[in-house]
Amino acid sequence: MKKPLLEFTDRGIYCSRANVYIDPWKPVENALISHGHADHSRAGHKKYITHHRNLPIIRHRLGAIDASGMEWGETFSRNGVVFSFHPAGHIIGSSQVRVEYRGEVWVFSGDYKTESDGLCEPFEPVRCDSFITECTFGLPAFSWQPQEEVLSDIKAWHATNQAVGKTSVLFAYSLGKAQRLLAGLGPDYEPVYTHGAIENMTEVLRPLGAFAPTRRITRETPSDALKGALVIAPPSAHGSTWMRKLVPYETAAASGWMTFRGARRRRAVDRGFVLSDHSDWEGLLSAIDATGATCVICTHGYSDIFSRYLREVKGLDARTEATQYEGEGNGESTVE
Amino acid sequence: MKAFAELIRTLDATNKTNAKVAALAGYFETAPDRDKVWTIAILSHRRPPRPVNTGLLREWAAELAGIPMWLFEESYHIVGDLAETIALIVPSPKSPEVPDKSLTEYLEDIIRLRKMEEAGKKSYLLEAWAELPYYPRFVLTKLMTGGFRIGISQKLMTRALAKATGQEEDLLAHKLMGQWDPAVISFEDLVLRTRESDLLSRPYPFYLAYGLEGDPADLGNPEPWVMEHKWDGIRAQLIQRKGNLFLWSRGEELITHTFPELERLAEILPDGTVLDGEILPFPKGQIGSFRDLQKRLGRKTVSASMLAKIPVILRAYDLLEWQGEDIRDRAYSERRKLLEKLLAPLADSPEIPLDLSHQMNISDWAQAATTRQEAREVRSEGLMLKRKDAPYGVGRKKGDWWKWKVDPLTVDAVLTYAMRGHGRRSNLFTDYTFALWDEKEDGSRELVTFAKAYSGLTDAEFREVDAWIKRNTLERFGPVRSVTPLHVFEIAFEGIARSSRHKSGVATRFPRIVRWRKDKPMEEADTLQGVIELIPET
């Protein structure tokens, strides 16, 4: 039997013909990186190749690394294998990785969402024979509202809290979700106060989006200024002493997990906004459909359930492969 | 329905008691009377019986969503709530408008639905699901499948209603107790009007004790206190008024007919008497096991053999009404004296199924501690400490009554299986099965399942165990995973009895996790043989 073009090894997804790994989780020589979240872009590789918009992100996170940037659709070859990056619509600079050898095409999805968020390059379906897909929200229980509706809910929540003199603290992952919210609120929105972790990442990405004005919360920030304001903070700030300054406040989380009433209560936030940078059930199915792939490999998420559905209902050659990307795991705060 | 769904959403959205009461009071001030009656009924566990069995609900929801049944079931295991699963998977309507139909109309539908043919039920539900937006859809389905777990106790609901109607909370609690049918009673009759004839069967709210956590010496001088055993049965209130006898459980169920042997007390007790006490299994003139008493519950008719095998008595410990007068405000010592006087003539009649719970004075706390340690020997769960000068309160209150239970039995057991939790713990593996070492005669040993437990760890610990389970799964059986036996947990339980239904041969009562014994290798977990020695001799 001939060797598959991409294999799942203990270091990561590997193309042996080109000696290239995609989003490897252990140090390797050549790493193609789909996007800047920590579980996909790890430290210690010799050489990083990624979309150029992801370069400032991973440089910010990983420091001085040997990295080069590519355009969408730009190709490069190694030992006859052709590689290219295509928009995944997950966060700024997020890509799918296309791999072609002698007419056979594989695509690694990275993390992706099919809805356009107006900030990052929208997801582009890429025809392929084999599709390696994430399925973080691969259950029919997940169905996203249009972004506009969620944003108007968030604005209404902020206005309600403001009217009674309360601070609105919105928890969002510092890379991706925070900038999506800031862009969604738009440059005309009133100043949004930010936790240092959010502000640092937003500074890196500011040239790439039209964000609501932000103000970093520091020791010097007077607590009066925070009264009634909208504050964006990473989930890890919840329950920490950092929050003391914000009293009185209402809390909310923006995440796909907020679909479940239990998840909101578990995180002990007052309000949950269902907003995800991953695809919902229909999004995953339509993306897979658009690839035309006959072989689908499901990685992180509800992979067993999702691949069974693809096999039994969609008639695809679908299976699960274990990776170290965070899907179902404890990733409720870090996955998105 | 729109306002009710919004109420539920608001109650569900806050963890703050005051915000919950304010939201409920606001609803009670504005909702139509009929809807108010139904809301009170729903929040006090009086929803109409389930109109459709949940198997059909699942099937129809899966059909509407266009997904196979196994996928519905998998989703249900992950979401952890049936109504929520159904509401999430069926497609949302194009229009976000909620149909203009009241809560009462939906509940009348639910009552009618129960008597309809299957086809009629199905077409009603498919239509309702297809036209209701997500949240009202969830609420309607929940009305048909189970209670809302939104942190609203009957007490909180009563407080909100008192706030909205300007009535006294205690009186209102009294009115809402007992049997009334939300389909026919008016808000006026249920809440606003006070009629003497209504009060004939009505019990008083039970006074509940908090568990004593610290040292009883913190209560100070023992002189104002008395103690008695905490009997392991069913808390009940026996009412004798105008020749009628009523027996109420703490869950506000009228259980007179479940215990027909107590009906003869009508001939013995004078009218205008209300006793608070414990129903105890009493075979052969001694307290039996709680497991046997459970066999008496939930039966429409009690067979003669059951009556002979597991007879019960009422062991009284308080007198709430005497000669037709509510004496709850009097000091406990005074109520107790009246109770002793009332029951004194029965002392020589062991065939009458009513006796007095023995009261003990406390000379010092060390003596009380000794009595507590010996509680299991007299089949009690520990001690009740009561202030002599205290009135009989309403609901759970701190200060005058304390339960001081015996320390639970504990064992160290090995985690072997895990299942996803429900409610706020859905999607996390928090329901665990534990095993003990079964030592064979040939000296070999193997792990045998012993108990399930799903509480006792902190959220952070649950997350840690959950992450470990996901990395150490051996096999999956639907929602259940078997895991590599490795971790040892200390499990506490209140009682243990022999059981032929369990592979280990023992059944425990209220098993829960005390701590994660990270320090203990699994080889040092307890043995089944050691645990069997804890079973009391019968």
Side-chain angles (χ1 to χ4, degrees), chain B residues 15-145:
Chain B
N15 303 319
K16 300 175 186 110
T17 303
N18 286 341
K20 283 181 199 280
V21 173
L24 255 173
Y27 175 85
F28 282 130
E29 278 159 22
T30 53
D33 279 357
R34 294 293 312 139
D35 284 7
K36 282 191 274 204
V37 170
W38 273 113
T39 301
I40 296 166
I42 291 158
L43 295 179
S44 59
H45 313 290
R46 287 179 172 89
R47 67 188 171 78
R50 188 175 284 174
V52 184
N53 79 46
T54 57
L56 290 172
L57 284 178
R58 293 164 199 232
E59 220 174 86
W60 299 338
E63 185 185 320
L64 194 60
I67 60 169
M69 217 42 225
W70 65 264
L71 182 53
F72 180 91
E73 295 300 333
E74 291 279 9
S75 303
Y76 172 38
H77 289 308
I78 290 161
V79 177
D81 179 288
L82 184 61
E84 195 177 342
T85 310
I86 291 174
L88 285 171
I89 62 147
V90 303
S92 271
K94 297 275 176 289
S95 149
E97 284 307 304
V98 185
D100 187 22
K101 204 165 154 178
S102 71
L103 172 67
T104 302
E105 287 172 289
Y106 276 112
L107 281 151
E108 285 165 357
D109 287 352
I110 291 173
I111 292 167
R112 255 198 310 278
L113 213 53
R114 194 174 151 78
K115 299 202 176 74
M116 279 162 72
E117 297 287 313
E118 198 175 304
K121 292 180 183 186
K122 183 176 176 182
S123 71
Y124 175 86
L125 273 167
L126 293 193
E127 195 177 316
W129 284 334
E131 71 180 6
L132 283 170
Y134 168 68
Y135 213 83
R137 186 163 73 223
F138 160 68
V139 169
L140 176 67
T141 314
K142 197 78 186 155
L143 287 173
M144 295 190 222
T145 54

Side-chain angles (χ1 to χ4, degrees), chain A residues 261 264 266 270 302 304 328, chain B residues 12-13 420 424 426 476:
Chain A
R261 292 159 65 233
R264 187 192 58 69
R266 192 158 57 240
D270 300 312
Y302 296 106
D304 290 336
E328 184 186 339
Chain B
D12 193 35
R420 285 195 176 89
R424 68 188 284 272
S426 64
R476 294 160 198 240

